[in-house]
Amino acid sequence: ATVAKAQDSCQLITLETALQKANASNEQIQLANTDIKIARAAYKQTNAFYLPQVNFSYAALSTNNALNAFGFKLQQETVKAADFNPDYLNNPGSRTDFMTKMQVNLPLYNPELTYLRKAAASKIEIEQLKSERTQDYIAFEIEKILLQLQMAYDTRKVLTESLLTA
């Protein structure tokens, strides 16, 4: 028959050591800290509300249609007396028109985005409080378990003394 012990040696652990190990390796605490980082990143994204928005568009058209070709000349404001020549109007050849547009928008005041930024700041506070409460709960559970362990040791001691007395 083989005798096996569940634990070869007792290792003393202090409350501070247990709390340090829990804070370093507890999954719930790590997730809560990750949520704080996510909330901070979302808040940093709200900085884009104050940046200008730049839009750029480009269009090129080419035609040999007489009416469109004359319209291109009118749009480009390059019409001369020679352009009214009937031969040129009826047979314009190929005509191109290029349009380039750049638009810069700078937000002055947007209350919706301001409230969204405040909500993102509040989310950071919420996640920090959530992380603190998670750490408090883990600390409470560790303290409870250590006290139960101490009580088990004391109970064992009392039962051993009772056995010797009996």
Side-chain angles (χ1 to χ4, degrees):
T2 306
V3 178
K5 290 184 179 180
Q7 295 171 342
D8 290 336
S9 64
C10 284
Q11 215 177 24
L12 295 177
I13 186 167
T14 63
L15 178 61
E16 292 79 22
T17 307
L19 291 175
Q20 287 173 354
K21 286 184 180 182
N23 285 334
S25 62
N26 188 282
E27 187 175 301
Q28 291 175 337
I29 292 173
Q30 290 174 351
L31 286 174
N33 290 336
T34 302
D35 288 340
I36 291 172
K37 291 176 185 175
I38 291 170
R40 285 187 180 139
Y43 181 76
K44 285 182 183 179
Q45 283 181 336
T46 62
N47 289 336
F49 298 155
Y50 301 111
L51 297 175
Q53 295 178 355
V54 179
N55 296 322
F56 181 79
S57 65
Y58 174 80
L61 302 170
S62 179
T63 186
N64 62 355
N65 182 314
L67 187 59
N68 286 342
F70 188 71
F72 286 172
K73 281 219 147 276
L74 287 174
Q75 284 180 342
Q76 293 173 354
E77 299 176 359
T78 59
V79 178
K80 298 175 185 147
D83 293 330
F84 289 98
N85 182 351
D87 291 333
Y88 179 74
L89 285 174
N90 290 328
N91 190 10
S94 181
R95 187 80 177 139
T96 57
D97 186 26
F98 299 98
M99 292 176 277
T100 305
K101 180 181 175 184
M102 186 167 106
Q103 188 177 24
V104 178
N105 295 328
L106 182 63
L108 295 176
Y109 178 69
N110 190 339
E112 181 180 337
L113 297 179
T114 303
Y115 290 128
L116 191 60
R117 185 173 171 87
K118 287 180 183 178
S122 296
K123 174 113 178 164
I124 292 173
E125 293 176 27
I126 290 168
E127 293 300 335
Q128 287 173 339
L129 290 173
K130 180 180 159 188
S131 176
E132 288 175 17
R133 295 304 158 256
T134 301
Q135 289 175 355
D136 290 346
Y137 176 73
I138 298 297
F140 168 74
E141 286 295 321
I142 288 173
E143 206 171 324
K144 184 173 84 172
I145 289 170
L146 286 177
L147 288 174
Q148 288 174 348
L149 182 62
Q150 186 63 41
M151 188 172 184
Y153 283 140
D154 289 344
T155 303
R156 179 178 162 201
K157 183 179 173 184
V158 167
L159 289 175
T160 305
E161 288 176 4
S162 298
L163 184 63
L164 289 175
T165 305

